[in-house]
Amino acid sequence: MWSVPHQVRIFLAREPVDMRKSFHGLIALAESVLEQDPLSGHLFVFINRRRDRIKVLYWGGVGYCIWYQQLEEGSYQLPDAQAADDEAGLEITAGQLSLILEGIDLSSVRHRKRFQVSDRHRDATSSSRR
């Protein structure tokens, strides 16, 4: 797996996606379902109904890129749906994405408390740098 800079956010679509979708279909889902700008540089993660295939869409600076993985055996374990309320997608960390790809059950992982920059502070910092 590639390393994800801390500024890059990762959005996971909770509903299964038809893996026949390519760039334009996934871009449309990032905009309509996840309600995010696909040109933002963030990662958009989509999974199929059987949870044995995953696609990650991102803007590569000069064009869109898709990273695609198909499991030969087993399935991906997604974060607890209750944590996301009724949202169509949820934001996950790079660590959580790594655990999902490695096949580790997220419900059995204990996450110790760490400092997190709030979204409000992040937005204020990024606008002051412009």
Side-chain angles (χ1 to χ4, degrees):
M1 184 65 197
W2 64 87
S3 65
V4 179
H6 69 277
Q7 302 94 331
V8 174
R9 297 167 69 187
I10 304 169
F11 298 96
L12 172 68
R14 291 178 50 208
E15 293 297 317
V17 171
D18 182 351
M19 286 293 123
R20 292 175 292 182
K21 289 190 184 300
S22 189
F23 293 98
H24 297 294
L26 295 177
I27 291 165
L29 289 174
E31 291 173 334
S32 63
V33 174
L34 297 175
E35 299 177 351
Q36 297 293 325
D37 178 12
L39 292 170
S40 64
H42 301 312
L43 303 181
F44 304 96
V45 181
F46 304 95
I47 198 158
N48 68 334
R49 186 171 308 283
R50 290 185 306 192
R51 295 186 175 181
D52 65 346
R53 297 175 187 188
I54 194 166
K55 281 189 178 182
V56 180
L57 172 75
Y58 60 97
W59 175 253
V62 295
Y64 287 103
C65 305
I66 294 176
W67 183 86
Y68 182 47
Q69 184 176 38
Q70 175 181 326
L71 295 177
E72 292 299 317
E73 188 176 318
S75 62
Y76 295 107
Q77 168 81 31
L78 298 182
D80 185 15
Q82 294 173 346
D85 300 322
D86 290 331
E87 298 286 325
L90 72 128
E91 188 171 353
I92 61 174
T93 66
Q96 287 173 314
L97 178 58
S98 181
L99 293 174
I100 290 169
L101 294 174
E102 289 296 322
I104 297 171
D105 183 358
L106 295 175
S107 64
S108 66
V109 174
R110 199 171 88 203
H111 188 88
R112 296 194 178 272
K113 186 176 179 179
R114 296 288 186 258
F115 173 79
Q116 269 187 313
V117 176
S118 68
D119 288 337
R120 187 177 61 208
H121 178 73
R122 183 183 327 173
D123 293 340
T125 304
S126 65
S127 65
S128 68
R129 291 182 182 169
R130 292 180 189 165

